[in-house]
Every structure is written in structure tokens, then in C-alpha cells.
Amino acid sequence: MLRVIGKRLALLIPTLFGLSILLFLWVRNLPGGPATALLGEKATPEAIARINELYGFDRPLITQYLTYMGKLFQGDFGVSINTGRPVLEEFATRFPATIELTVIALIFAVGVGVPLGYLAARHNGRFIDHSSVVLSLIGITVPVFFLAFILKYLFAIQWSLLPPDGRQDPRMDATHYTQFYVLDGLLTGEYDAAWDAFLHLILPGLALGTIPLAIIVRITRASVLEVQNADYVRTARAKGLKESTIRGSFILRNAMLPVVTTIGLQLGLLISGAVLTETVFAFNGIGRFLRDAIFGLDYPVLQGFIIFIAVLYALINLIVDLSYSVIDPRVRVQ
Amino acid sequence: MSNRGTSVRGAGFARKRAALTAGISIAALLLTGCVQSQREEDTGAEGDSAIDSTFVFAASSDPKSLDPAFASDGESFRVSRQIFEGLVGVEPGTADPAPLLAESWETAEDGLSTVFQLKEGVTFHDGTPFNAEAVCFNFDRWYNWTGIQQAESTSYYYGSLFRGFADSPENAIYESCEANGDNEVTINLAKPFAGFIPALSLPAFGMQSPTALEEYSADEIGGTAEAPSLSEYALGHPVGTGPFKFDSWDVGQQLELSIYDEYWGDKGQITKTIFRIIDNPQARRQALEAGDIDGYDLVAPADTQSLKDAGYNITARDPFTILYLGMNQAIPELEDPKVREAIAHAIDKEALVAQTLPEGTKVATQFIPDVVDGYNEDVTTYDFDPERAKELLAEAGYPDGFEVTFNYPTNVSRPYMPTPEEVFTNLQAQLADVGITVEPAPAAWSPDYLNQIQATPDHGLHLLGWTGDYNDTDNFIGVFFGQEKQEFGFDNPELFAALDEARGMSDRDEQTEKYKEINEQIAEFNPAIPLAHPAPSLAFAPRVTSYPASPVNDEVFTDIELSE
């Protein structure tokens, strides 16, 4: 198992190398230079030229690339043009926010999606089945940002039930160690701060989790339907096994394989969905930071971000593959 | 001071939240229930004053730097105006200079040396005394910057106003600083600079504690030229003499200040100020409606009426802005003065202002608002006259009109241009009436639009504008027409020279006359059409009964009045 993991991680290196070249060329060929973005209306032509010189945008691409890679190997992702802070530090402070949000969204998507899909399959053709199909269809078709706006408008503005944006009430004097606000609140005993941070996660979490939820419902339903008609289930029934054993150990367990794959893939999508959700809810995670980087043509951040996401994807895929062998011992990671 | 739960409204809101929690988790409800009741007790214990002394303002972005000398953006200045004070401030509600840390000053006749009498008994937040030595420390710091510290992206204001540093003294306007005892200081200039005193009211020239500047290496801004980074000082140790001192900065989330107990002036009602970072204008409005913030800037014109109706306080700034229609003379048609005149006659500015710009907006006749020196009451104007426009077009050889690109930015809201799309649509229709067909060329503000207009010749008619930094004519027309620029695509050495001369004049009255002439010269040359001076508005929660709106954004939060 360890060897497999090692091999997979080693494969990551050439992949990232190729990716780094591609994205370097792509980022540098985006229209417009960062100088005007940085200087705004006050920019004079001389100032723009000086900025380009300062940041090295006027040097040959290959020089820029080699300098970049050289630093990358030393763990230096450069300094954000927009904020003047190291890119890695910016990620470190914002990533916990996105993880918190993703976890909530995932709990919501899996926690509701799997049981709902399972129930739909079990009551195939009945009311609950039809309504789950309709619900998941709506979930997939409604765009994240639209749903986010509606949720925010209704629950935060109209009914004042939940906070409209941010990660915590601005008046809350909370201490932060890990940057996971809920966890921080629990660790320091500031339970009201933890609760407040949790309330701030609900609306964006719902918005972000809806599409994965819809997809998980459909996959679970289809998978359970297929498995519950399989020969071995019929055999088990004929042998007179307890219905609960059949449902638990036979159907659910076997039906989970494609569901786990889907959840893994959704994780990646959740990170990109966070760009929209975090923007609508003024939630200070890496999604909103990425959007700022795109609009401000913050090259160091864009490059660092994409490499970061690539590594993350690769790791998620590895974990998904490994979890197969836990669920189904016949599948061995190769 | 614990600010937790000091808000009366906050507690009400929290109760509503608590109501929701019932549906989510009973255990958690019990937990918060306890905390919530504690919160309410706290509120009661606050005692005599029922005023929530925490003021939350939504900022549209993080400050770029906490060191105002290395900043040029509005959000940095908004924060630094609370922390720092300059020798010179502004008269409340105007753009005119007024004493602040200097109680008075006297400039020699040649305009080259100014003696400042400093306020006594003022200390920086770290206890360092504010005196003549501290003033010289700041001036010398700016003057002695080298390398990357001189870049426009870092020290924009010092560089563009004082023109040179110790390593290039031939251009420099600043020469030296002498401390004549503790509370008197002389600043010597190498060249006359009529805008010297008003320029000192800029936050970039705020006085900073010499001790803190040294302790937190304020001038160490990044190791290499490719990656300039903020200094330790600019990241979290700004120390000034202002009413508020810096507490904390959670980047992307919020920045907190608290009242400086030893402040020499009136401390007002607010003891804690929180700048909450909300970049989306819609989200700022929603945060106000949800009671999360007490106010925000740059309210969308479409929102002002509905917010007013809902009981929020809307305050309009006196316009210190200009919105203009640029005409790129690299386009052959636009190079013809008759065509430019025709376009000017084709535009009904009154209608444009009434239909697309916020309340309080004034129609523009020239490129400076009327409170700025050199405003010319008798400047040549091109009144709305479509018939005359058609005649001029025919004279210019375009009896059937012509087609031209019209560039405008999308998805952006600037103080001088809250809704560019609407302004474009309005002008498009007006131009069509005289036969000029425009080809819309929308682009995202940053980086595309600005880059296209300012760094390439590839544009026709375009919308752009400006918000003044302080009361100085050069800060408006000098910026637009002081040199050859791709934005307008013309070379008019006479105009460039006149602006250069006016800038260097030491006598303010003479200079004002000169600027009046230049404004006329610009109006005749007609390189762009001044459209309006839009008034930016701010929105506040009902408890904010008074806010010191300033045309140049010089708003210190000690002057805010709260009713609950």
C-alpha cells in the first residue's frame, strides 16, 4: 500500500511540471497587463513601464519561468501583487475558511443526498422517488450564485434568521489560532464565537452543497437500484437472511462504490464553486481571493493557486482510490 | 473594553438567530441560550450611556498598506485618517487647508521656506512626543527613499508632488528641514510650489512616529525588485497621533481600531471602529439592512431612494469629481475640431445628469469643480444644440454623420461614474440624434478598460473621470492634459507648457488667474467634454445621526454622532 502511494505521488511531479509550463504561458498571455490594474486611473505611461520593469514582466518568458520555478522549489510562491504579502501566507490564512465551508457543504450533500437517494431507490416509482428526481433536477439546474442570492435574500435580509455575510459577527471579539473559526471558538471556550461562526457557514454551505447533493442523490439512487436487483441479493434473500443485513451489508455497501467516486469528484468542484459562493457571501476564503486575483491579474497568486489546486486534486483522487479498497476488498489499488 | 454583546440591536438580532437554532440542534440551543443570556446581562451592565460605542463601517477592500506614505488608494487613506494626522488638515466639509498638527504657518515671499508652529503636548500612540524633530524625521524619510521605494506603485504621492529624491536633487522640490526648537520647524523648498500647503493635507503626508518607523523597519519594503512586499510596520504597527490607534487586521475580513486615550483633541462617542471588508456593492447594502454594519460609501444611485424610504440616512458628499467624455484624436474624425465641437453641442448634459447620475450631481462646464482655484465662470461652453451639431458635421464633411467606437467600462462603480453602462446608453442615443453612430465597445474596468484607454491608441470616444485628492487645480487638469497621453492622442506643446508654468508659480493669486486662462484654453481646444461632477453618497443605519461628509473624503470618525 505504501509503495502504491509513493508511486502515485512520484507521478505527480512530471504532471505538475507540465502544468506549470502550460499555466505560466497562459497566465502571461492574458490580455491587459497588471500594471494598470495596480496603478489605476493615476497611471502614467512612464509609471506603467516602470512597474513592468519592477516586476520583471518585460523580461524574456524563459527567464521569468526559470526564476519562478527556482523560487518555487525553495517554497517561495512569490508575493501577491494586490496585497504585497507572500502568496503562501495568503493561502494559509484563507484556506481554513474554504475548508470549513466545504466540510459543511459536504456534510449537507452527503448527509442528505445518500439517505434520500437510498430511500428513492427503495421506494422506486413511488412518491418519494419522483420527488427526489424532481428535487435533484432543480438542484442541478439552478446556478450556485442564483441560489446563493435567493438564500441570502430570504433568510438573511427578509427574515433576519441568519447572518448575511462574512465569517463572524464583526463586533465579536473572538480569538483565532487555527483560522478555523468554529474550531477556534471551541478550543478557546468562546462557545458563542464558535456558534456565531457556525451560523455564518449555514447559508453559504447550503448554496455550495446543493449541486453535489443533487448529483449524489441521483448516483446513489441509480446505484442502489442496480445492486438491489443483483443476483447475490436475490440469493441472499432466498437463503432467508435478515432484511436489515441484506440492506446494510449487501446493498448499501456495494452501492457505495460509485457514490464515493462521485463524492471525491465533487470535492474538487466544491472548491471551484466556492469562488461564486464566497463572493456572494463576502466569505473570506480562497475562492474570493482567486476572484480578486483574476480581476487584478495577480500573476503570482494565479500561478500559485492553480498549482495548489492541482496538488489537491491529485491527493483527493488518491484518497478516493484508496477508499475503494476499504469499501470493496476486491478492488486493490494498483 | 469588551465589545461582546454591547449592541442593543445586536442582542435582538441574536435572539432571532437563536430562534432558528431550535430547528437545528437542541443541544446547541441550550449552549447558546446560556451565552445569550450572559450577553444580555453584559448589555445591561454597560450602564449609563445607552450608546453602542462600536462603529462598523464597510470598506470595499483591504487597505493596500497601513503606512500612508506608501499608499495612494482610498481605503488605505480612510483607515489612515483615523490613525494619523498631518501638519495640515482640511476645513470640515470643504477641500481647503486648515491647521491640524501645525497651529499656524508662514511662507516666505519667495515661496521657498515655510515656518510651522507645532501644536504642543501631542504624543504618538507609542508615547513618542510629537515635535519638530519628528516632523523633520518624516520629511527626511520621504526625501531619502531609494530604488523600489521611489516607484509609483509605492510612494505615488511623494514622487508626483515633490518630484525628486535625495539621489536626484536636480528635480526635487523639497530641500531640507530645520528644527528651530521643540515646537517650530522650517521646511525649505528648492523650487516654489504653490500647492505645498494643500498637498500636506493628504494622508500620504501624515506624521508617523519615528520610534515605530525604525522599530518596525517601515522602509524595508520587500527584498527584491520583482517582489516588493509590505514592511512589518505597514502590515501591523502603524503609529500616529490621531484619535484612533491600530488594534488588529484580519486580512480580507476586518480591521479594528480603538480610541487613543491620550488623544489631544475631542474624542467623540466612538471607542471602537471596525472596518469590515465587503467588496460587493450589493452585499454592502444587504449588510446594512441586516444590521451588520453602520454605514458604507459609494451607494449605487438606484439604491438611494429605497434606502431613504426604509429609514436609512443618506449623506451626499459635495462633489469633488469630474466625469468626462474623452475624444481620442488618433481617430481621424475626432482630430477635426469641428467634429469635436459638434459632439459637444450634441450632448444634453442636463438630461444626462437627471437620468443617470445621483442626486446632488452638478453639470460640468470645465474639468474642475467650482470650489477649486482657477474655476472660470466665463469659460466657453457648448450648449445643447443638435441643429448646430448637424451643421458643424456637414461643414466638417460628414453631412450624413459617421461611425465611431465608444469605449466604456462595465461592472464598475467609481465615485465619478456610478453606472457607466447607463451613461453610455444615454449618450449613445443623444449622439444618434445628430447622425453619429457609435459602435459600443464595453470592457471590464480592470485590467482591460484602463489598459486600453491609457496604454494603447485603440479607442475612440470613452468615459473616464477623476476624484480630486486635495484642493489643487493641477491635480485635475494637470493630470489630464499636462503631457502627451495615449488617452487623448494629441500633442499641444502650448497647453503642456502653460500647465507646467502654472504649477511652479509661487503666488497663489497669480496662479489662480493663470489657471482660469488655461481652463479657457482647454475649453477652446476641446480635447474632451466635461459632463458632470457626480456627488457620491454614503448610507448609514438610523442610529448614525451625523456623519462629517467631506468632498475629499477627509472624514475622522470622532465627529460621527450616534443616537443609540
Side-chain angles (χ1 to χ4, degrees):
Chain A
M1 180 74 103
L2 275 182
R3 241 187 53 207
V4 173
I5 296 176
K7 237 165 94 182
R8 285 286 292 271
L9 288 180
L11 260 176
L12 197 57
I13 293 168
T15 315
L16 287 179
F17 188 66
L19 182 79
S20 75
I21 295 180
L22 278 181
L23 88 95
F24 190 84
L25 291 174
W26 170 69
V27 163
R28 291 300 150 116
N29 283 304
L30 289 175
T36 37
L38 195 64
L39 295 173
E41 296 112 295
K42 291 176 172 143
T44 57
E46 305 91 78
I48 292 172
R50 206 177 309 180
I51 286 289
N52 284 333
E53 197 193 324
L54 207 61
Y55 285 89
F57 298 133
D58 56 347
R59 271 180 266 159
L61 271 182
I62 182 78
T63 321
Q64 292 188 43
Y65 177 73
L66 289 178
T67 319
Y68 179 71
M69 286 310 280
K71 291 205 172 139
L72 206 61
F73 278 117
Q74 297 160 23
D76 180 359
F77 279 68
V79 172
S80 158
I81 294 178
N82 287 345
T83 67
R85 291 160 190 260
V87 172
L88 221 49
E89 190 188 304
E90 293 280 23
F91 282 163
T93 55
R94 288 176 168 87
F95 197 46
T98 304
I99 292 183
E100 260 186 346
L101 184 56
T102 310
V103 166
I104 291 287
L106 203 64
I107 289 176
F108 168 63
V110 175
V112 178
V114 171
L116 195 61
Y118 177 76
L119 281 178
R122 203 175 152 186
H123 305 282
N124 187 14
R126 306 245 292 275
F127 175 74
I128 186 158
D129 185 24
H130 293 309
S131 34
S132 85
V133 171
V134 171
L135 272 179
S136 70
L137 201 66
I138 294 173
I140 290 170
T141 26
V142 176
V144 178
F145 68 90
F146 182 69
L147 185 71
F149 273 123
I150 298 288
L151 284 175
K152 183 173 166 183
Y153 181 74
L154 291 179
F155 289 93
I157 312 297
Q158 208 63 19
W159 301 326
S160 299
L161 290 172
L162 286 161
D165 41 41
R167 296 186 63 193
Q168 205 151 48
D169 187 330
R171 291 157 196 270
M172 178 98 25
D173 229 354
T175 333
H176 298 298
Y177 294 109
T178 63
Q179 294 300 324
F180 291 94
Y181 281 14
V182 176
L183 190 67
D184 281 341
L186 295 175
L187 289 178
T188 55
E190 293 168 352
Y191 298 117
D192 56 340
W195 181 246
D196 181 71
F198 175 70
L199 290 180
H200 277 82
L201 284 169
I202 296 177
L203 289 182
L206 286 181
L208 188 58
T210 302
I211 290 182
L213 164 77
I215 293 171
I216 289 170
V217 169
R218 294 176 67 143
I219 300 287
T220 313
R221 177 180 172 274
S223 180
V224 172
L225 272 181
E226 196 185 309
V227 173
Q228 70 186 1
N229 294 325
D231 289 347
Y232 59 83
V233 174
R234 211 172 322 145
T235 313
R237 264 208 189 101
K239 280 182 162 178
L241 251 76
K242 270 200 299 189
E243 187 63 16
S244 60
T245 315
I246 296 173
R247 298 235 157 250
S249 310
F250 284 62
I251 300 179
L252 197 55
R253 188 169 177 148
N254 284 303
M256 279 325 275
L257 261 184
V259 177
V260 167
T261 317
T262 312
I263 293 172
L265 291 174
Q266 292 307 312
L267 250 181
L269 284 181
L270 280 174
I271 303 266
S272 48
V275 173
L276 292 169
T277 315
E278 290 180 2
T279 300
V280 173
F281 290 99
F283 195 85
N284 187 30
I286 50 170
R288 189 169 151 217
F289 189 55
L290 176 65
R291 192 214 47 181
D292 291 346
I294 292 170
F295 284 118
L297 279 194
D298 196 337
Y299 293 153
V301 172
L302 284 178
Q303 281 166 346
F305 193 90
I306 297 171
I307 289 188
F308 179 77
I309 293 295
V311 174
L312 200 69
Y313 254 91
L315 291 180
I316 291 172
N317 272 328
L318 180 60
I319 294 169
V320 169
D321 288 356
L322 294 179
S323 64
Y324 280 173
S325 55
V326 177
I327 297 173
D328 184 352
R330 288 172 307 172
V331 183
R332 282 282 167 246
V333 184
Q334 280 155 30
Chain B
M1 187 212 74
S2 158
N3 75 320
R4 202 171 296 163
T6 48
S7 155
V8 176
R9 189 196 47 232
F13 188 54
R15 265 196 301 273
K16 281 187 187 165
R17 286 183 192 177
L20 178 87
T21 63
I24 303 170
S25 144
I26 292 170
L29 179 68
L30 289 174
L31 183 69
T32 31
C34 306
V35 181
Q36 226 96 57
S37 62
Q38 265 172 19
R39 282 180 157 211
E40 276 152 33
E41 277 162 30
D42 282 353
T43 314
E46 277 289 306
D48 28 82
S49 90
I51 289 183
D52 171 11
S53 59
T54 301
F55 182 76
V56 187
F57 191 90
S60 61
S61 71
D62 280 296
K64 291 239 173 189
S65 162
L66 294 178
D67 178 351
F70 283 137
S72 61
D73 62 298
E75 295 301 351
S76 295
F77 285 170
R78 199 195 301 280
V79 172
S80 65
R81 277 185 163 111
Q82 319 305 324
I83 303 174
F84 300 99
E85 293 170 317
L87 293 180
V88 178
V90 297
E91 205 64 63
T94 74
D96 301 328
L100 191 58
L101 286 179
E103 285 183 319
S104 64
W105 52 83
E106 201 157 333
T107 304
E109 265 190 27
D110 60 4
L112 291 179
S113 72
T114 307
V115 179
F116 293 91
Q117 303 297 331
L118 307 178
K119 199 173 272 300
E120 286 176 42
V122 175
T123 53
F124 288 101
H125 304 154
D126 60 356
T128 308
F130 167 75
N131 53 25
E133 207 183 310
V135 174
C136 287
F137 187 96
N138 276 281
F139 272 92
D140 289 335
R141 171 188 179 220
W142 305 327
Y143 185 52
N144 286 296
W145 278 332
T146 54
I148 197 168
Q149 298 160 345
Q150 296 181 0
E152 263 95 334
S153 58
T154 51
S155 57
Y156 171 81
Y157 279 107
Y158 188 82
S160 64
L161 294 171
F162 288 90
R163 301 250 157 149
F165 299 87
D167 57 6
S168 54
E170 59 283 359
N171 302 322
I173 285 177
Y174 171 81
E175 193 178 75
S176 64
C177 174
E178 293 162 35
N180 327 321
D182 247 12
N183 299 305
E184 190 184 285
V185 70
T186 307
I187 307 285
N188 298 309
L189 301 183
K191 295 171 192 170
F193 174 21
F196 177 56
I197 294 294
L200 290 184
S201 69
L202 278 168
F205 305 121
M207 290 292 126
Q208 313 197 31
S209 159
T211 326
L213 286 172
E214 277 184 339
E215 186 179 352
Y216 299 105
S217 323
D219 287 334
E220 276 175 31
I221 52 164
T224 64
E226 287 142 58
S229 55
L230 296 176
S231 70
E232 199 190 342
Y233 178 87
L235 285 171
H237 301 279
V239 179
T241 63
F244 293 94
K245 59 183 172 44
F246 175 81
D247 274 353
S248 65
W249 181 12
D250 185 357
V251 181
Q253 190 72 31
Q254 63 190 41
L255 189 147
E256 299 184 21
L257 309 176
S258 60
I259 197 82
Y260 173 46
D261 289 326
E262 319 296 319
Y263 181 58
W264 58 270
D266 185 6
K267 292 203 269 284
Q269 289 177 305
I270 293 165
T271 56
K272 192 173 183 81
T273 293
I274 299 173
F275 291 97
R276 182 102 152 62
I277 320 296
I278 307 178
D279 49 10
N280 180 321
Q282 188 67 25
R284 286 198 287 276
R285 179 191 163 145
Q286 291 176 334
L288 180 72
E289 289 171 323
D292 264 17
I293 59 169
D294 288 313
Y296 71 99
D297 203 348
L298 296 185
V299 180
D303 286 346
T304 47
Q305 196 53 48
S306 58
L307 281 171
K308 241 187 238 177
D309 293 345
Y312 295 96
N313 294 327
I314 306 290
T315 306
R317 281 209 179 88
D318 244 3
F320 203 63
T321 53
I322 174 74
L323 167 68
Y324 60 77
L325 175 69
M327 299 182 278
N328 179 14
Q329 295 183 31
I331 306 282
E333 288 93 343
L334 297 178
E335 201 194 342
D336 188 334
K338 286 209 169 103
V339 171
R340 297 207 301 275
E341 202 184 327
I343 293 176
H345 278 301
I347 291 171
D348 184 353
K349 296 179 191 171
E350 303 275 354
L352 177 81
V353 168
Q355 290 160 18
T356 68
L357 293 164
E359 231 179 283
T361 298
K362 294 177 188 162
V363 165
T365 60
Q366 51 208 294
F367 293 87
I368 53 173
D370 57 6
V371 293
V372 174
D373 282 332
Y375 185 82
N376 188 337
E377 298 282 353
D378 309 312
V379 80
T380 300
T381 53
Y382 304 90
D383 298 331
F384 175 53
D385 186 350
E387 290 314 311
R388 178 79 189 120
K390 283 182 201 160
E391 277 170 38
L392 281 162
L393 283 177
E395 279 173 38
Y398 306 103
D400 303 321
F402 62 94
E403 201 181 306
V404 64
T405 313
F406 192 136
N407 302 75
Y408 63 98
T410 53
N411 262 330
V412 70
S413 187
R414 312 291 300 169
Y416 52 81
M417 184 167 60
T419 51
E421 291 94 339
E422 285 175 27
V423 173
F424 161 74
T425 316
N426 199 291
L427 292 178
Q428 179 186 38
Q430 297 192 8
L431 291 169
D433 285 346
V434 300
I436 299 173
T437 315
V438 306
E439 193 190 320
W445 173 254
S446 168
D448 302 334
Y449 186 73
L450 273 181
N451 190 59
Q452 190 179 11
I453 301 300
Q454 297 185 326
T456 75
D458 174 29
H459 54 275
L461 298 172
H462 64 272
L463 293 176
L464 214 57
W466 188 258
T467 302
D469 299 307
Y470 62 104
N471 194 345
D472 179 40
T473 330
D474 187 61
N475 183 249
F476 284 89
I477 52 180
V479 175
F480 310 143
F481 310 121
Q483 58 178 326
E484 204 177 339
K485 281 171 82 181
Q486 296 208 311
E487 181 180 351
F488 301 108
F490 70 84
D491 185 14
N492 186 338
E494 215 182 309
L495 179 60
F496 301 159
L499 276 161
D500 205 41
E501 191 199 335
R503 185 181 194 285
M505 288 179 149
S506 60
D507 186 307
R508 193 86 194 202
D509 296 334
E510 264 176 55
Q511 192 191 38
T512 304
E513 281 311 307
K514 183 76 187 167
Y515 275 132
K516 280 187 182 169
E517 279 169 37
I518 292 174
N519 278 325
E520 174 57 27
Q521 201 180 337
I522 295 171
E524 282 168 20
F525 183 61
N526 195 22
I529 300 164
L531 297 172
H533 303 293
S537 333
L538 299 123
F540 294 99
R543 78 181 187 107
V544 181
T545 50
S546 167
Y547 182 86
S550 150
V552 286
N553 296 6
D554 196 327
E555 291 143 14
V556 183
F557 289 1
T558 43
D559 295 339
I560 293 172
E561 284 168 25
L562 304 171
S563 64
E564 55 184 276

